[in-house]
Amino acid sequence: VRVIVRVCACDCVRVIVCVPSLCEDLLSSVDQPLKIARDKVVGKDYLLCDYNRDGDSYRCSTEYRDLYFEGGVSSVYLWDLDHGFAGVILIKKAGDGSKKIKGCWDSIHVVEVQVRAGAPLPVQTGINNVNCFYLPNLGNMDMENKIRSTLNEIYFGKTKDIVNGLRSIESLPDNQKYRQLQRELSQVLTQRQIYID
Amino acid sequence: MTDFEEPLSDEEKVRIAANFVTHAPPGEFNEVFNDVRLLLNNDNLLREGAAHAFAQYNMDQFTPVKLDGSEESVLITEHGDLGQGRFFDPRKRVSFRFDHLRKEASDPQPYEGETALRSWRDACDEALSAYVKEHYPTGVCTVYGKTVDGQQTIIACIEGHQFQPKNFWNGRCRSEWKFTISQSSAQVVGVLKIQVHYYEDGNVQLVSHKEVEESIVVTNETQTAKEFVKIIENAENDYQTAISENYQTMSDTTFKALRRQLPVTRTKIDWNKILSYKIGKEMQNA
């Protein structure tokens, strides 16, 4: 069964109630808007996604988030693999809530880090968090910037072009009228042929 | 994920299916219909329970259709709905059967419409058709002269679309304009709608609408038609300009408020600096 690309959160639920057997497939292949939950112990917000439905949470460095998003909520979930580790980095930023602007940016980055057997690990005395070593490599994968630029230039630019192709503010050039003339001419010629026959 | 203990009734399922269909983006009715058909897996249920949804979709979208042997199209709208699956073309003065799934017209019959309003309807249609040719590359218009709630009303519908599924995009604009001719002073009321869907390696939709109201002086058929079309032209030009301007505003403010292109420091992050700062901090605390 093909997956319908056009679903969003409530549509997803509607499809699942009609065809319950699609539930797992749909939830794992369609990204839902990220939900925010509150950790009352630490007093901080964190994000929910498919990866931490039954897992623990780990709060990441907020420097990156604040520099690019000036606020927002972020969460990171990491888990061990046989030869390395994997993780998902979630970021959610809602618009500033001013009256005429409503919007939300959700990021879901999934990474997998493979550590080759025998590769030397950094030895830092007193440091427990070895994963910090990988931070510069992960941080420089600038997918978000590329996606943001693509959204701005291609997606928004393209829809604007389509709108301007549906209707023209300036009067259309006369080739429309030329085509009408062509049609009328061919009709007359067809009639003439019939007459000759 | 909540557990659904009781399976949904057929009625509820077909209501959901119908809802998906009525919200299909322009040009994508068949795709949504086929997908929904697979999910529902009950053709009889779909045909009987969602038939009203297919008709509603075509009327909402101002679907254009060509009658046999005609170069011009007529729009399927609620104003031309005669019931029993029949619609009328006020310009050609015919009624016809319309198949909502095949989008085909058949069985044309003469249909006179309201003769009292004919001269007004014809004048507005002539002026509007010229305007549509000047501004819409693929535009179609249909003008009705009908008595609505006791008032003699002119209703003008305009539609233009471009479907390019091979390039992963579809778009349609529609506008509906009304005014009454019973008194010398009237209000022209308009609703303008645009919907664009671009889905190449992604999924973006623009859905926009605007309501317009302007006063008009009703004199004779030709003069009034001219004024009517002038109001329409100005409003539709303003709307299109505003949409273009909104794109710029969105890029400069809204989008940036969600995620900046560059950090507030205006230079890209130096990850090694962050890392050494972090390690330094932890060593202090150790």
Side-chain angles (χ1 to χ4, degrees):
Chain A
V1 176
R2 281 179 300 130
V3 176
I4 302 172
V5 178
R6 298 165 220 88
V7 296
C8 65
C10 44
D11 283 351
C12 220
V13 173
R14 288 201 203 119
V15 173
I16 291 168
V17 298
C18 287
V19 192
S21 58
L22 285 178
C23 184
E24 277 301 321
D25 281 331
L26 211 52
L27 289 181
S28 58
S29 57
V30 177
D31 289 322
Q32 301 296 308
L34 296 173
K35 291 202 181 71
I36 301 179
R38 187 108 184 139
D39 182 337
K40 296 200 178 90
V41 173
V42 189
K44 281 194 166 169
D45 287 332
Y46 65 99
L47 293 169
L48 305 171
C49 71
D50 209 49
Y51 293 98
N52 69 323
R53 270 197 281 165
D54 45 32
D56 322 288
S57 77
Y58 173 83
R59 263 153 224 109
C60 78
S61 146
T62 56
E63 279 92 354
Y64 169 79
R65 191 199 71 209
D66 286 341
L67 283 169
Y68 276 100
F69 293 89
E70 298 173 83
V73 181
S74 59
S75 298
V76 176
Y77 305 102
L78 304 172
W79 56 94
D80 287 315
L81 298 175
D82 286 338
H83 299 287
F85 67 94
V88 61
I89 302 156
L90 310 172
I91 303 172
K92 188 178 185 84
K93 170 79 195 283
D96 63 0
S98 66
K99 273 171 289 184
K100 287 183 186 166
I101 300 172
K102 244 174 152 180
C104 185
W105 174 288
D106 280 4
S107 293
I108 302 173
H109 296 268
V110 182
V111 297
E112 189 183 294
V113 179
Q114 286 180 357
V115 181
R116 262 172 304 164
L121 284 178
V123 176
Q124 317 263 8
T125 45
I127 306 296
N128 295 321
N129 191 356
V130 165
N131 292 330
C132 263
F133 172 72
Y134 300 102
L135 196 62
N137 287 328
L138 293 176
N140 282 325
M141 285 188 244
D142 213 0
M143 283 305 312
E144 270 206 13
N145 251 1
K146 292 203 187 80
I147 289 174
R148 192 220 183 271
S149 291
T150 307
L151 271 176
N152 204 33
E153 280 136 39
I154 300 179
Y155 287 99
F156 294 163
K158 180 76 184 182
T159 56
K160 181 171 112 169
D161 289 345
I162 294 169
V163 169
N164 291 324
L166 293 172
R167 185 185 182 280
S168 166
I169 294 177
E170 303 299 324
S171 281
L172 287 167
D174 279 341
N175 54 6
Q176 299 282 328
K177 299 172 188 166
Y178 172 74
R179 262 186 260 145
Q180 175 65 16
L181 183 64
Q182 264 189 318
R183 270 196 294 264
E184 283 165 4
L185 262 173
S186 66
Q187 267 178 342
V188 169
L189 286 170
T190 318
Q191 282 168 352
R192 197 172 289 176
Q193 279 183 324
I194 293 169
Y195 178 83
I196 288 166
D197 279 343
Chain B
M1 187 68 219
T2 37
D3 286 314
F4 296 93
E5 277 128 25
E6 279 162 35
L8 233 53
S9 70
D10 277 353
E11 213 176 74
E12 284 165 310
K13 279 192 198 172
V14 81
R15 196 168 46 85
I16 290 175
N19 187 266
F20 272 124
V21 163
T22 47
H23 288 91
E28 296 168 34
F29 176 87
N30 288 350
E31 284 75 9
V32 175
F33 174 79
N34 289 333
D35 286 345
V36 154
R37 189 179 172 196
L38 271 173
L39 288 171
L40 202 64
N41 199 22
N42 187 338
D43 280 0
N44 284 330
L45 180 67
L46 186 61
R47 205 179 320 117
E48 283 160 23
H52 70 282
F54 310 148
Q56 193 59 50
Y57 181 83
N58 285 323
M59 289 191 285
D60 283 347
Q61 291 284 316
F62 286 5
T63 302
V65 65
K66 275 202 176 90
L67 300 170
D68 257 341
S70 174
E71 271 295 314
E72 292 170 328
S73 301
V74 62
L75 299 178
I76 298 295
T77 77
E78 59 176 310
H79 312 291
D81 185 4
L82 295 173
Q84 317 293 323
R86 291 190 76 83
F87 289 81
F88 74 95
D89 180 347
R91 186 186 296 156
K92 297 253 161 15
R93 295 181 210 151
V94 291
S95 73
F96 54 91
R97 202 161 173 342
F98 186 67
D99 182 327
H100 287 286
L101 284 178
R102 284 208 182 81
K103 310 229 197 305
E104 282 169 4
S106 61
D107 187 26
Q109 303 288 336
Y111 184 85
E112 286 309 301
E114 291 186 36
T115 46
L117 285 156
R118 183 168 295 165
S119 57
W120 290 89
R121 190 227 75 87
D122 288 350
C124 287
D125 192 1
E126 197 179 322
L128 195 70
S129 295
Y131 159 74
V132 168
K133 268 205 186 71
E134 292 272 312
H135 291 273
Y136 290 83
T138 57
V140 177
C141 70
T142 297
V143 180
Y144 305 90
K146 292 175 85 170
T147 305
V148 178
D149 295 334
Q151 301 266 36
Q152 292 185 312
T153 313
I154 297 293
I155 304 169
C157 302
I158 304 173
E159 181 272 348
H161 71 265
Q162 292 264 21
F163 297 159
Q164 296 217 8
K166 290 203 176 74
N167 292 320
F168 307 101
W169 63 263
N170 297 298
R172 168 174 268 151
C173 57
R174 297 163 272 169
S175 55
E176 185 181 275
W177 295 89
K178 296 182 189 174
F179 73 103
T180 58
I181 59 169
S182 344
Q183 273 137 356
S184 56
S185 164
Q187 284 293 103
V188 175
V189 176
V191 180
L192 299 82
K193 295 180 183 169
I194 293 194
Q195 188 171 1
V196 173
H197 187 200
Y198 177 48
Y199 47 99
E200 182 171 18
D201 279 342
N203 194 1
V204 176
Q205 282 204 45
L206 165 72
V207 181
S208 169
H209 80 277
K210 184 174 186 202
E211 280 155 27
V212 178
E213 224 177 280
E214 290 281 337
S215 51
I216 191 173
V217 174
V218 179
T219 52
N220 60 61
E221 289 91 322
T222 318
Q223 188 56 34
T224 309
K226 202 168 154 200
E227 300 285 326
F228 181 45
V229 171
K230 198 92 203 82
I231 289 173
I232 293 174
E233 182 171 13
N234 289 338
E236 293 187 351
N237 279 349
D238 286 348
Y239 181 48
Q240 192 174 345
T241 307
I243 287 181
S244 283
E245 284 170 0
N246 264 352
Y247 272 104
Q248 199 53 49
T249 310
M250 186 170 62
S251 177
D252 292 341
T253 49
T254 322
F255 201 36
K256 205 165 161 195
L258 289 181
R259 196 211 185 269
R260 305 176 64 95
Q261 196 114 14
L262 281 177
V264 276
T265 53
R266 291 183 201 270
T267 51
K268 280 189 160 189
I269 286 184
D270 184 335
W271 285 96
N272 285 304
K273 234 199 214 153
I274 286 188
L275 178 63
S276 40
Y277 173 72
K278 215 175 157 54
I279 290 174
K281 207 160 154 215
E282 292 204 25
M283 282 182 98
Q284 272 180 359
N285 296 337

